[in-house]
Amino acid sequence: MVRGSRVLILAAAATAVLAAPLTGCSDDTSPSGAASKAASAASKAASAASEAGDALSSATADAGDTLASATAEAGEKFDEFKSGVDAKGDVRTGDVGTDSAGRSTAGITVTNSGSSSRSYAVQVDFRDPGGNLLDTVVVTVDGVGAGATKDATATSNRTLSGDVTAEVSRAVRK
């Protein structure tokens, strides 16, 4: 909603900027002519705002589709670990960064406190400051030796903007 509000504010500002010079035109002294030109400028600004709103709606729908797809993919990867044991306590996330393609990344560290080598499936959720889910990925970390630690990187499926955090939402080992 904040972006939509920004579009409307920009449209209003554009209307004012475009209308102001028209009311002082020296080649058309009639008030109705100036008003007509101002109305035309306002119509163009409203049209631009509408197009921007449509683009924002489309982008929001695309982001929702991408998130739904990522969530479904995460579920499928966890299905591969059907007999897995809850291991969320064995996994920690690091700071969130950005890769060369502009996608968010988060380092994860898996610590196997067991007595034999294990493989882990770790779901990492990327969130905005309000706690809203932006993206989710599953990282498989194979061959973590008994008593050993292994690092991996979770990378978002798409470019995320703003202040992004990462958290382990679930993890299993087998």
Side-chain angles (χ1 to χ4, degrees), residues 13-14 24 28 33 47 87 111 121 123 152 172:
D28 189 355
S47 177
T111 303
Q123 181 174 342
V172 295

Side-chain angles (χ1 to χ4, degrees), residues 1-144:
M1 293 311 253
V2 173
R3 288 184 181 161
S5 299
R6 286 183 187 154
V7 169
L8 292 177
I9 290 169
L10 290 173
T15 301
V17 167
L18 292 172
L22 293 176
T23 59
C25 289
S26 60
D27 61 344
D28 189 355
T29 57
S30 78
S32 64
S36 175
K37 288 181 181 179
S40 175
S43 175
K44 288 178 183 177
S47 177
S50 175
E51 289 176 17
D54 291 346
L56 178 61
S57 294
S58 177
T60 301
D62 290 345
D65 291 345
T66 300
L67 182 57
S69 176
T71 302
E73 184 179 333
E76 290 172 9
K77 287 190 177 185
F78 269 89
D79 286 346
E80 296 171 11
F81 278 70
K82 285 185 190 261
S83 61
V85 175
D86 180 25
K88 188 174 176 182
D90 295 347
V91 184
R92 301 284 177 256
T93 59
D95 293 334
V96 175
T98 305
D99 70 7
S100 62
R103 296 176 299 176
S104 295
T105 61
I108 59 172
T109 301
V110 177
T111 303
N112 179 4
S113 57
S115 58
S116 62
S117 182
R118 300 285 183 196
S119 292
Y120 291 76
V122 180
Q123 181 174 342
V124 177
D125 290 346
F126 292 95
R127 297 187 179 274
D128 68 13
N132 298 308
L133 182 63
L134 301 173
D135 201 359
T136 188
V137 297
V138 174
V139 177
T140 302
V141 184
D142 291 320
V144 182

